[in-house]
Amino acid sequence: MSDIATTTGYTAILDGRVLRITLTNPKRKNAIDYDTMAALGGTVRAASANPAVRVIVVTGEGGDFCTGADLSAADEYATRGITNEMILDAANGMVKAIVEAPIPVIARVKGSCAGIGVAIALAADLTYLSEDAYLLLAFINIGLMPDGGAAGLVAAAAGRPLAAEMALLGERLPARDALAHGLVAGVYSEEGLDAKVEAAVDKLAHGPRRALELTKQALGTAALASFDAVLAAEKSGQCELLDSADFAEGAAAMLQKRKAVFAE
């Protein structure tokens, strides 16, 4: 193995033909910040341009995949001049890098998968969950809307009704329900999850690279033809909501572990 990237938010290790990306913020259930999103997108794009890399695996350290954007970094962003638009551009760029990668991407998902974590997981070509995993678009609970293409990715995989329920009610979707709705490729025990991921990795790593690339392009054309429009709509709406009084209340309530009280 050769370590090709280590940041405060993730590691990326080249293991033969496989790039293994691991989110590394387990104390915050692998919540990710602006720097992590920007760097991770760059890592995926670099791997896409490297003919030695044939498959990418994305996972989280510890018992969780990713609980979304790290809201505790807001004060730091202000001091560094990082705007909401910059953060959303980094999130969109990261997810687009996964969607547009010419090589297959596998998401290995355990435990919590929320917010932008859902977008990362569903942007992958093959998404495998552990039995204890769940998907959660909790944006509405803090006065926001889905971003990072999450709304489009859920709708493309499972249809508008489930996407609306997840986005408008902000409730957890257990792994088995996600599978039943066609959102993910499989649900497994912890041991079974690793076995399935590695079996898929081995087959893809030794498969016909160009045929896999063209197949992935065709699938994307069929399911995600309007993805850029979704990203633009989410960015516009989220920029507005991030400056709203409802979000200020929602974020404060979340950090204080109380129920938000939105404007009448």
Side-chain angles (χ1 to χ4, degrees):
M1 293 189 183
S2 57
D3 194 354
I4 63 173
T6 301
T7 76
T8 56
Y10 72 97
T11 61
I13 298 175
L14 186 60
D15 178 12
R17 297 181 171 193
V18 185
L19 181 67
R20 299 182 184 273
I21 297 174
T22 303
L23 302 176
T24 56
N25 187 15
K27 290 183 179 179
R28 295 192 56 78
K29 296 187 176 182
N30 297 319
I32 55 177
D33 59 13
Y34 167 78
D35 295 306
T36 300
M37 290 188 284
L40 199 154
T43 293
V44 172
R45 287 188 288 272
S48 297
N50 183 352
V53 180
R54 305 296 289 274
V55 60
I56 298 172
V57 179
V58 183
T59 192
E61 182 180 343
D64 297 285
F65 182 71
C66 173
T67 52
D70 190 352
L71 296 181
S72 69
D75 290 340
E76 177 194 346
Y77 295 157
T79 61
R80 293 172 57 192
I82 297 172
T83 65
N84 291 332
E85 184 172 0
M86 291 168 63
I87 296 168
L88 289 165
D89 282 341
N92 289 352
M94 173 185 64
V95 175
K96 277 198 71 174
I98 296 172
V99 169
E100 296 177 352
I103 52 179
V105 180
I106 298 173
R108 173 188 174 275
V109 179
K110 293 178 61 178
S112 306
C113 180
I116 192 67
V118 173
I120 295 170
L122 298 187
D125 304 289
L126 297 171
T127 306
Y128 299 120
L129 272 58
S130 64
E131 292 175 331
D132 69 332
Y134 64 85
L135 306 182
L136 173 62
L137 296 181
F139 299 92
I140 201 72
N141 298 331
I142 56 172
L144 295 178
M145 64 180 287
D147 56 28
L153 291 164
V154 174
R160 183 169 176 266
L162 180 67
E165 186 170 51
M166 290 182 66
L168 298 177
L169 298 182
E171 298 173 349
R172 294 184 182 188
L173 184 72
R176 290 291 176 190
D177 291 342
L179 179 62
H181 283 286
L183 267 178
V184 301
V187 175
Y188 302 91
S189 66
E190 185 168 348
E191 290 183 359
L193 176 64
D194 289 336
K196 180 62 180 180
V197 168
E198 292 311 309
V201 164
D202 184 65
K203 186 166 186 177
L204 293 170
H206 297 90
R209 193 181 199 276
R210 182 58 175 164
L212 289 168
E213 177 180 0
L214 292 175
T215 299
K216 179 169 177 173
Q217 286 179 2
L219 291 169
T221 299
L224 297 171
S226 61
F227 193 56
D228 284 346
V230 172
L231 291 174
E234 288 182 344
K235 177 183 174 182
S236 176
Q238 198 74 305
C239 280
E240 175 187 333
L241 294 172
L242 283 164
D243 287 330
S244 70
D246 276 344
F247 171 60
E249 163 61 14
M254 185 184 70
L255 294 173
Q256 296 166 15
K257 301 185 185 302
R258 60 174 175 80
K259 184 176 180 179
V261 180
F262 297 117
E264 294 294 332

